[in-house]
Amino acid sequence: MPRLRDAERLIGSLAYPGMPADEGEVARAWIRRHVDDYDRLEFNVRIGPANKIPEGMSESTERLNSAVGRRRADIIAWHGSSVDIVEVKTRVTLSAMGQLKGYRALWSYDHPVFQVDKLIAVGTLAVEGVAIAMEAEHIQLEVLPEEEVAHAAI
């Protein structure tokens, strides 16, 4: 069974790239829960093509566009040469389902060799009907108890 590299450092992080503090607390609780499931985690991963910019723009503008003009997956969780894509919310809505499905397509476009095993939405609350829709789309929904998230806080 994999053991997450740098687990203690990740759990002890004050913040995670690209996440507001409240989502970071949810992410920390999720990491604690899954420390033995993954080899490594990547945060704020840019995937898919960058937005098109008009010709003649400066090289620095092109670099900036390449860095921030792409979609952003919260967590890419590696196990061997496969990944799970994790979307972290405090309140999970149907939009998370659309994000995850889009991220899977973009990941597969960018990285055809590395298979996406699971799409996972994690939060402390899921609005009515989300669990039904996610199950129908084979997306794993993890609703973490508030106490677990509060306990995970540093």
Side-chain angles (χ1 to χ4, degrees):
M1 189 172 238
R3 171 71 178 168
L4 183 62
R5 287 186 235 153
D6 295 331
E8 291 77 23
R9 182 186 61 78
L10 286 172
I11 292 168
S13 292
L14 294 175
Y16 299 103
M19 281 188 209
D22 55 350
E23 289 180 4
E25 296 302 325
V26 175
R28 181 174 293 106
W30 183 85
I31 293 167
R32 281 186 190 271
R33 202 181 250 209
H34 293 282
V35 73
D36 292 323
D37 298 340
Y38 298 104
D39 301 313
R40 73 181 194 270
L41 303 177
E42 295 177 9
F43 298 88
N44 197 32
V45 178
R46 300 293 175 166
I47 55 177
N51 295 322
K52 296 216 183 282
I53 60 171
E55 285 193 38
M57 289 294 180
S58 69
E59 189 177 312
S60 62
T61 301
E62 288 180 27
R63 279 195 309 275
L64 178 65
N65 183 57
S66 180
V68 300
R70 302 169 71 198
R71 305 300 68 83
R72 184 192 61 79
D74 285 340
I75 301 173
I76 300 294
W78 289 86
H79 45 95
S81 61
S82 298
V83 301
D84 293 346
I85 301 176
V86 183
E87 182 63 22
V88 179
K89 304 285 189 192
T90 51
R91 182 175 175 263
V92 181
T93 66
L94 287 175
S95 65
M97 185 171 67
Q99 284 178 274
L100 285 163
K101 290 170 72 174
Y103 295 160
R104 175 179 46 210
L106 294 172
W107 176 268
S108 297
Y109 175 84
D110 285 349
H111 308 281
V113 176
F114 302 111
Q115 175 182 329
V116 176
D117 283 340
K118 291 190 276 186
L119 301 176
I120 303 169
V122 59
T124 55
L125 172 75
V127 298
E128 290 298 319
V130 166
I132 295 166
M134 291 213 177
E135 183 177 1
E137 294 295 326
H138 307 288
I139 297 173
Q140 184 175 320
L141 173 63
E142 292 188 42
V143 178
L144 305 179
E146 289 278 352
E147 303 78 41
E148 187 175 341
V149 172
H151 176 70
I154 12 183

